[in-house]
Amino acid sequence: MVVINQKPNFNSGDYDSPEISINSNLKRWFSRNIGLWKSNRTYFLEEKKKTYNLCMYINVEGIETTKEWESHYKFTWYPEKKYSFFDENPKYKEKGEMQAFIKGHQLIRENFYLSNIDGISNIKQVDEHEMIFESTYEDWYILEHTRLIDDDKYRYRVIYSWNKDKLKIVETHHEIKIIT
């Protein structure tokens, strides 16, 4: 397993001026994601050899900051209805909130979906519509591809999650922007 940036030395408060390395394409791509999304998801869990289908809502908001070069975001999620998935798989968060900001080509997260640990996701830009996020925390390595489609009305995400070098979770998310 490759460990990616495990040092929590990402205090953005140390900067008095904008970083030269800020990539405006990343800021623009994240701003295209702002809004409320209906997320139709399929989870395949290797341990149980079971597939689950559920619908979640994800709200992506931009947050005001005192440093104009930093882009801060708040992500909240909740299910469309009650699903047995969360009772059968209690490590998954049925609803929650995460704040994050862009620093260079990294997304600095206050927590991850399967953990309350803060950390970093490295971002690779495929083209103007797709980003790849690589994250490592605890014993997890996560690879997420997110693509915006049809003038940002739709989003497709596929997420692969390895735990201790074994593929454990494969997710696909077909998302529709319902509120801009």
Side-chain angles (χ1 to χ4, degrees):
M1 179 181 298
V2 177
V3 177
I4 303 170
N5 292 335
Q6 290 296 303
K7 296 181 181 178
N9 59 353
F10 44 78
N11 183 354
S12 65
D14 295 341
Y15 302 106
D16 292 329
S17 63
E19 289 186 320
I20 302 297
S21 65
I22 291 281
N23 184 327
S24 63
N25 287 336
L26 288 179
K27 291 171 77 171
R28 185 173 50 247
W29 187 86
F30 271 89
S31 70
R32 292 167 58 195
N33 284 270
I34 291 175
L36 181 63
W37 296 84
K38 184 174 184 178
S39 178
N40 295 296
R41 300 176 175 198
T42 300
Y43 291 91
F44 174 73
L45 305 183
E46 175 60 31
E47 286 180 342
K48 296 185 178 194
K49 303 278 192 246
K50 190 170 180 181
T51 301
Y52 297 88
N53 293 303
L54 51 139
C55 181
M56 302 285 286
Y57 288 96
I58 303 171
N59 193 31
V60 181
E61 300 172 73
I63 299 175
E64 293 291 324
T65 178
T66 58
K67 297 179 173 85
E68 72 179 60
W69 67 92
E70 287 184 348
S71 296
H72 285 252
Y73 301 95
K74 180 170 84 171
F75 303 83
T76 53
W77 63 90
Y78 53 93
E80 179 182 54
K81 63 181 185 178
K82 181 73 174 154
Y83 291 100
S84 62
F85 172 80
F86 296 105
D87 296 328
E88 294 175 31
N89 303 285
K91 69 181 168 191
Y92 288 85
K93 298 175 185 176
E94 185 173 15
K95 58 185 175 179
E97 178 181 301
M98 177 196 68
Q99 292 192 23
F101 67 92
I102 297 172
K103 180 179 176 195
H105 284 276
Q106 296 178 320
L107 183 65
I108 312 303
R109 301 172 181 249
E110 75 172 6
N111 60 285
F112 285 95
Y113 183 65
L114 296 173
S115 172
N116 287 325
I117 285 183
D118 60 359
I120 297 171
S121 293
N122 287 318
I123 305 169
K124 294 178 183 174
Q125 186 170 4
V126 175
D127 58 31
E128 67 180 290
H129 305 293
E130 184 171 348
M131 298 292 171
I132 298 172
F133 300 86
E134 285 185 289
S135 308
T136 303
Y137 60 94
E138 295 175 340
D139 291 326
W140 289 99
Y141 171 72
I142 313 295
L143 184 62
E144 175 183 342
H145 294 253
T146 301
R147 183 161 194 85
L148 292 164
I149 303 164
D150 195 21
D151 292 327
D152 308 336
K153 292 181 235 165
Y154 304 100
R155 191 167 63 180
Y156 178 75
R157 298 191 301 150
V158 61
I159 305 167
Y160 303 96
S161 302
W162 288 265
N163 187 268
K164 297 181 182 176
D165 294 329
K166 292 190 170 112
L167 184 62
K168 297 290 185 176
I169 307 164
V170 177
E171 306 173 36
T172 59
H173 303 199
H174 299 273
E175 300 174 336
I176 301 166
K177 189 181 274 189
I178 55 177
I179 298 176
T180 304

